[in-house]
């Protein structure tokens, strides 16, 4: 066999391997997009995952319609993944809004319901209050279930409209805020990223500074390094179990945003320490000597000269970390929970997109929805990556000429 | 007229682990003069120079015996190293400006000492750059990165940075070895000017340079000072055969 043939053979294998890798990647991303893209729309991004039922207290006040019947028919804010129009809409003066009847269908149930299809600008619905007197918002596509104790169940659209019109004093309406979106999961994910980075990055950077600048090389440092290396190889479910036993139970932090981000921060630490250490090591000794020779202290040298030079490396650590937090499922499942809500405090639970995708796929068997969440995850990772790239370019001292 | 002695070393030995790099060095370095260290590669010139502002502290394995008196005080004794380094500045072989603006590079040292006043800093930066003969070239780009300067400009910036600390002594370790003849000439010129205010100690591989700029010359060989004296004497009438061989280029 000639050398050329051998070369070509080797080249062929390299190309083949690259080709296979690329096509697998494209196939996976493509699969997720094709499966899930049908579900991704504005509502999907802006709505909560679960429906929310509450009572709204509304003034009884006539407001006439400012648009004509044709225009009213065009207002169809229904979630066409689940809802299709049967009847209406009809404008009802004393709530200053139009209602319509739709069928609601998802993979578990099918029923008819009344929804609000249009709201006038100065409609009494726009300054509704909840039972505690707090101001609340009623939007289009909200479902209405009863008024002043009378259920709409079984009524035709006309009968329902008449029922509303016949009320004389203040209206107490049972409304359902539609769910099916992942807004809360997106926000939880961002909180989780932010919080765990805020915990892990300073710890990691200071740890790395200690290891490279202060600790005497020797058995102790090597032990720490070895431990960090081992940590990064441990599957995250183990950290999840630890987080559950320690943060959730022992420290009584409950299943919460805080427990979750502390647990993830531990997972991130080895990566951050490692990359920061590498970055610190590449800072030329001549900078340190130059600084010390000018009478700067060691601490000044580290913070004013060495660390700024290490920013690109630290940025890489941040990038890796973001991906890690967004992608984490097992550890967060156990420590931050699966409740699809925006965590109001550090001690409230909340599920990140990844946990939600896992939950939806596993518990509800809804692959489409999980894929739709997958798309959002991919987009968020890309956006966060771009943002931190831009940040690190801005901070890179070697880039400024 | 007798000049004041700035540095005085007595039986200075230095070890890197087991390896003895300096052997019983006895040198008296006078104030407001240029003293040159010459000698073949690896003979300990840099090592000795770095003893004078305790840069060798950074190297784990170094052990020092003997005395280095700076204005009569032993610098390896109970002194403030930071203070010593503000009084004894150092310019390195390879220009090492920090990756910051030109202004920040020069303001760095004084800021580390706690100087915050903007007008004072501005004045100091300007004066240092003028003294280092760099002001005209950079006055319009003080806020640009120092890494954008040429090698020769960078080295003058490093000198300006050292001057900004208003030291008494400036140590220079082959400051022109990375520069072209024109930049070298500028820096040599600069040294002759600086010598009326500062004590300058320079390591150089260029005999011509040592001859041109220095008042005294020390010839190092294998960790020892073979000969030390007035530069013209060393160059025209050396007492030691080895010095003569080295200077005339016959040295192996
Ligand atoms: N960090 C160190 N650890 C161990 N040995 C060292 C170290 N630095 C220098 N040496 C040794 O000490 C001796 C003197 O080195 P030094 O750098 O002082 O020489 P030099 O005269 O400056 O040489 P050059 O002209 O090449 O710069 C050399 O033999 C060198 O190998
Ligand atoms: Mg040297």
């Amino acid at each position: 066999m000639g050398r050329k043939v051998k070369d070509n053979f080797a080249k062929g294998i390299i190309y083949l391997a690259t080709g296979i890798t690329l096509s697998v990647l494209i196939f996976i991303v493509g699969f997720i997009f094709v499966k899930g893209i049908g579900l991704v729309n504005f509502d999907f991004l802006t709505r909560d995952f679960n429906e929310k039922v509450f009572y709204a207290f509304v003034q009884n006040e006539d407001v006439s319609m400012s648009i004509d019947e044709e225009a009213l028919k065009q207002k169809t804010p229904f979630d066409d993944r689940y809802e299709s129009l049967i009847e209406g809409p009809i404008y009802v003066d004393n709530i200053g809004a139009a209602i319509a009847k739709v069928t609601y269908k998802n993979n578990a149930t099918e029923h008819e319901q009344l929804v609000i299809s249009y709201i006038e600008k100065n409609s009494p619905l726009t300054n509704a209050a909840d039972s505690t007197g707090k101001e609340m918002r009623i939007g289009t596509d909200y479902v209405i279930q009863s008024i002043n104790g009378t259920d709409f169940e079984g009524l035709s659209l006309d009968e329902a409209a008449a029922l509303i019109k016949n009320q004389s004093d203040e209206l107490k309406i049972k409304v359902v805020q539609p769910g099916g979106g992942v807004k809360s999961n997106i926000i939880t994910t961002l909180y989780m990223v932010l919080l765990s980075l805020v915990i892990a990055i300073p710890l990691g950077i200071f740890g790395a500074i200690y290891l490279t600048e202060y600790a005497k090389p020797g058995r102790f440092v090597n032990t720490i390094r070895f431990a960090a290396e081992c940590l990064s190889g441990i599957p995250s479910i183990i950290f999840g179990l630890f987080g559950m036993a320690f943060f959730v139970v022992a420290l009584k932090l409950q299943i919460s945003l805080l427990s979750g981000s502390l647990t993830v921060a531990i997972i991130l630490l080895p990566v951050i320490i490692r990359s920061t250490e590498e970055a610190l090591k590449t800072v030329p000794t001549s900078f340190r000597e130059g600084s010390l020779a000018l009478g700067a202290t060691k601490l000044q040298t580290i913070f004013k000269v060495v660390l700024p030079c290490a920013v690109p490396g630290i940025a890489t650590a941040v990038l890796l970390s973001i991906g890690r937090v967004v992608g984490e499922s097992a550890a967060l499942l156990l420590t931050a929970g699966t409740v699809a809500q925006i965590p109001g405090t550090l001690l409230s639970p909340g599920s990140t997109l990844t946990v939600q995708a896992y939950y939806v796929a596993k518990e509800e068997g809804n692959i489409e929805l999980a894929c739709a969440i997958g798309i959002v995850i991919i987009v968020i990772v890309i956006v966060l990556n771009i943002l931190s790239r831009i940040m690190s370019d801005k901070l890179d001292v070697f880039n400024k000429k | 007229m007798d000049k004041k002695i700035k540095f005085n070393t007595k039986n200075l030995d230095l070890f890197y682990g087991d390896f003895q790099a300096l052997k019983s060095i006895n040198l008296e370095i006078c104030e407001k003069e240029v003293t040159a260290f010459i000698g073949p590669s690896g003979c300990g010139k840099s090592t000795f120079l770095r003893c004078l502002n305790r840069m060798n502290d950074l190297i784990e394995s170094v052990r020092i015996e003997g005395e280095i008196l700076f204005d009569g005080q032993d610098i390896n004794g109970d002194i403030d190293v930071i203070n010593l380094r503000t009084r004894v500045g150092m310019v390195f072989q390879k220009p090492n400006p920090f990756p910051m603006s030109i202004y920040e590079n020069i303001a760095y040292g004084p800021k580390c000492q706690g100087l915050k006043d903007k007008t004072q800093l501005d004045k100091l930066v300007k004066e240092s750059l003028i003294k280092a003969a760099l002001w005209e070239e950079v006055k319009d780009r003080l806020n640009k990165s120092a890494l954008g300067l040429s090698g020769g400009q960078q080295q003058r910036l490093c000198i300006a940075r050292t001057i900004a600390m208003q030291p008494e002594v400036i140590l220079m370790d082959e400051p022109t070895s990375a520069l072209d003849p024109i930049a070298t000439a500028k820096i040599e010129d600069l040294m002759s000017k600086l010598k009326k205010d500062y004590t300058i100690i320079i390591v150089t591989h260029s005999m011509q340079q040592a001859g041109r700029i220095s008042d005294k010359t020390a010839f190092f060989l294998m960790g020892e000072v073979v000969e030390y004296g007035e530069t013209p004497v060393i160059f025209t009438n050396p007492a030691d055969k080895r010095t003569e061989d080295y200077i005339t280029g016959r040295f192996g």
Side-chain angles (χ1 to χ4, degrees):
Chain A
M1 237 196 327
R3 199 162 80 172
K4 205 153 185 188
V5 181
K6 261 195 215 160
D7 271 8
N8 283 337
F9 184 66
K11 252 195 224 158
I13 290 182
I14 293 172
Y15 287 145
L16 190 69
T18 318
I20 291 178
T21 318
L22 259 181
S23 24
V24 168
L25 258 177
I26 292 174
F27 179 75
I28 292 176
V29 175
F31 174 82
I32 290 183
F33 265 81
V34 170
K35 270 266 184 196
I37 199 74
L39 294 184
V40 179
N41 57 24
F42 185 71
D43 287 339
F44 183 67
L45 298 177
T46 52
R47 283 186 178 172
D48 276 345
F49 190 79
N50 298 311
E51 314 188 316
K52 213 153 87 196
V53 184
F54 50 81
Y55 286 96
F57 294 85
V58 179
Q59 297 304 314
N60 193 345
E61 184 186 330
D62 279 357
V63 174
S64 53
M65 187 163 62
S66 63
I67 57 174
D68 58 29
E69 283 295 329
E70 266 319 297
L72 184 64
K73 284 224 168 59
Q74 302 306 316
K75 306 267 182 198
T76 51
F78 316 118
D79 189 340
D80 50 16
R81 292 171 296 164
Y82 306 112
E83 292 173 318
S84 47
L85 185 67
I86 319 174
E87 236 190 311
I90 297 181
Y91 188 81
V92 186
D93 285 310
N94 64 335
I95 55 170
I99 56 173
K101 193 167 218 179
V102 299
T103 358
Y104 177 87
K105 197 163 97 186
N106 72 12
N107 53 359
T109 62
E110 179 172 354
H111 60 257
E112 295 183 351
Q113 60 190 21
L114 285 179
V115 299
I116 296 173
S117 70
Y118 170 72
I119 299 178
E120 264 304 332
K121 254 200 223 49
N122 47 359
S123 146
L125 288 186
T126 55
N127 49 25
D130 68 6
S131 50
T132 62
K134 217 170 70 192
E135 203 173 307
M136 56 169 293
R137 205 187 73 93
I138 297 179
T140 49
D141 204 30
Y142 278 38
V143 178
I144 50 176
Q145 290 191 333
S146 75
I147 187 157
N148 290 353
T150 318
D151 222 279
F152 292 122
E153 183 83 47
L155 299 184
S156 73
L157 186 63
D158 287 327
E159 286 165 343
L163 178 61
I164 299 173
K165 269 184 202 142
N166 289 338
Q167 303 300 322
S168 48
D169 15 277
E170 200 192 33
L171 310 170
K172 179 183 169 198
I173 309 176
K174 186 178 177 190
V175 287
V176 181
Q177 178 187 332
V182 290
K183 180 178 91 182
S184 57
N185 305 106
I186 294 178
I187 292 177
T188 308
T189 305
L190 296 179
Y191 278 171
M192 196 65 82
V193 169
L194 201 74
L195 205 57
S196 46
L197 287 185
V198 163
I199 298 169
I201 295 230
L203 279 180
I205 291 182
F206 286 123
I209 289 180
Y210 174 76
L211 286 180
T212 44
E213 310 283 334
Y214 284 96
K216 291 219 165 58
R219 189 173 294 167
F220 178 63
V221 173
N222 289 341
T223 313
I224 294 185
R225 230 169 248 144
F226 179 72
E229 220 113 292
C230 287
L231 278 185
S232 62
I234 292 176
S236 57
I237 183 75
I238 307 280
F239 289 100
L241 291 172
F242 165 77
M244 197 155 129
F246 186 67
F247 296 126
V248 177
V249 179
L251 293 188
K252 299 205 173 61
L253 297 178
Q254 300 147 21
I255 295 216
S256 64
L257 188 62
L258 189 59
S259 302
S261 44
L262 284 170
T263 309
V264 181
I266 295 179
I267 299 178
L268 298 182
L269 266 182
V271 182
I272 296 177
I273 291 182
R274 196 56 209 254
S275 343
T276 309
E277 247 193 297
E278 292 304 320
L280 290 176
K281 275 188 204 151
T282 59
V283 178
T285 338
S286 65
F287 286 163
R288 294 170 220 257
E289 289 188 336
S291 168
L292 291 172
L294 285 169
T297 63
K298 185 164 183 171
L299 214 58
Q300 286 171 328
T301 302
I302 291 172
F303 279 96
K304 293 186 173 190
V305 176
V306 179
L307 258 190
C309 292
V311 162
I314 295 172
T316 315
V318 174
L319 285 184
L320 290 173
S321 309
I322 291 176
R324 199 68 207 258
V325 185
V326 174
E328 188 52 62
S329 55
L332 289 178
L333 203 63
L334 297 180
T335 52
T338 54
V339 187
Q341 63 166 25
I342 299 173
T345 67
L346 285 178
L347 293 181
S348 345
S351 66
T352 63
L353 285 162
T354 308
V355 171
Q356 194 66 31
Y358 169 84
Y359 187 78
V360 168
K362 184 80 187 21
E363 303 293 318
E364 297 179 5
N366 192 343
I367 301 291
E368 276 83 12
L369 189 52
C371 285
I373 297 176
I375 296 176
V376 180
I377 293 175
I378 292 173
V379 171
I380 286 188
V381 168
I382 293 174
V383 169
L384 289 179
N385 272 314
I386 292 174
L387 280 184
S388 45
R389 239 319 103 78
I390 293 175
M391 275 252 294
S392 87
D393 277 354
K394 278 239 161 73
L395 291 174
D396 187 354
V397 286
F398 293 101
N399 246 342
K400 292 183 207 134
K401 276 278 141 101
Chain B
M1 177 187 98
D2 257 5
K3 289 208 167 167
K4 198 180 145 213
I5 291 170
K6 203 71 191 164
F7 272 112
N8 192 355
T9 68
K10 290 183 180 160
N11 296 323
L12 180 71
D13 293 322
L14 183 143
F15 302 84
Y16 288 113
D18 293 334
F19 173 72
Q20 184 167 11
L22 295 178
K23 294 167 194 155
S24 189
I25 310 267
N26 290 287
L27 270 188
E28 290 179 352
I29 292 164
C30 295
E31 193 176 50
K32 298 194 178 157
E33 279 189 352
V34 177
T35 307
F37 294 167
I38 58 172
S41 189
C43 65
K45 306 178 297 289
S46 300
T47 303
F48 181 67
L49 198 69
R50 290 164 61 91
C51 285
L52 301 181
N53 68 344
R54 286 193 40 189
M55 284 312 268
N56 285 326
D57 287 10
L58 305 187
I59 301 165
E60 204 69 35
S61 61
V62 166
R63 200 177 86 246
I64 294 175
E65 283 165 15
E67 273 186 331
I68 307 172
L69 301 179
F70 173 53
D71 281 347
Q73 198 181 17
D74 186 3
I75 62 167
N76 287 314
D78 185 23
I79 59 127
D80 179 6
V81 188
I82 304 297
N83 180 270
L84 172 72
R85 289 185 186 143
T86 61
R87 294 169 67 192
V88 183
M90 187 166 209
V91 176
F92 297 81
Q93 175 172 4
K94 231 178 102 224
N96 58 349
F98 304 132
M100 321 166 174
S101 71
I102 294 171
Y103 183 96
E104 287 300 327
N105 258 281
I106 296 179
Y108 179 83
K111 273 189 181 169
C112 282
Q113 295 304 314
L115 182 63
K116 289 204 188 74
D117 186 70
K118 180 89 169 75
T119 45
Q120 250 175 304
L121 278 172
D122 286 351
K123 188 161 155 267
L124 194 56
V125 168
K126 184 172 175 183
E127 277 172 3
S128 309
L129 282 170
I130 290 175
K131 274 195 191 163
L134 191 59
W135 174 251
E136 284 306 319
E137 289 159 68
V138 301
K139 65 180 177 202
D140 301 323
R141 49 194 283 207
L142 290 179
N143 291 318
K144 294 270 160 54
S145 169
L147 301 183
L149 296 173
S150 75
Q153 288 172 327
Q154 289 190 1
Q155 194 62 301
R156 273 178 287 152
L157 179 72
C158 292
I159 295 176
R161 187 168 80 176
T162 307
I163 293 175
M165 294 303 295
Q166 297 163 326
E168 296 156 40
V169 183
I170 301 178
L171 310 174
M172 299 187 177
D173 193 351
E174 304 181 47
T176 60
S177 66
L179 306 180
D180 70 83
I182 296 173
T184 302
K186 277 192 181 158
I187 287 183
E188 285 183 10
D189 199 38
L190 179 60
M191 282 188 265
S192 333
K193 281 197 199 111
L194 292 177
K195 124 182 161 178
K196 73 178 192 328
D197 297 318
Y198 306 92
T199 306
I200 296 177
I201 306 174
I202 176 174
V203 172
T204 176
H205 274 285
S206 154
M207 296 306 119
Q208 290 87 342
Q209 188 170 58
R212 276 194 301 266
I213 60 169
S214 70
D215 301 296
K216 296 229 174 68
T217 298
F219 173 54
F220 280 69
L221 189 61
M222 315 264 284
E224 285 175 88
V225 176
V226 173
E227 195 166 349
Y228 176 54
E230 299 288 334
T231 302
V233 178
I234 297 269
F235 276 82
T236 53
N237 194 10
D240 198 294
K241 178 79 171 58
R242 292 170 293 178
T243 316
E244 188 182 342
D245 286 350
Y246 182 72
I247 287 167
T248 51
R250 260 176 287 154
F251 195 84

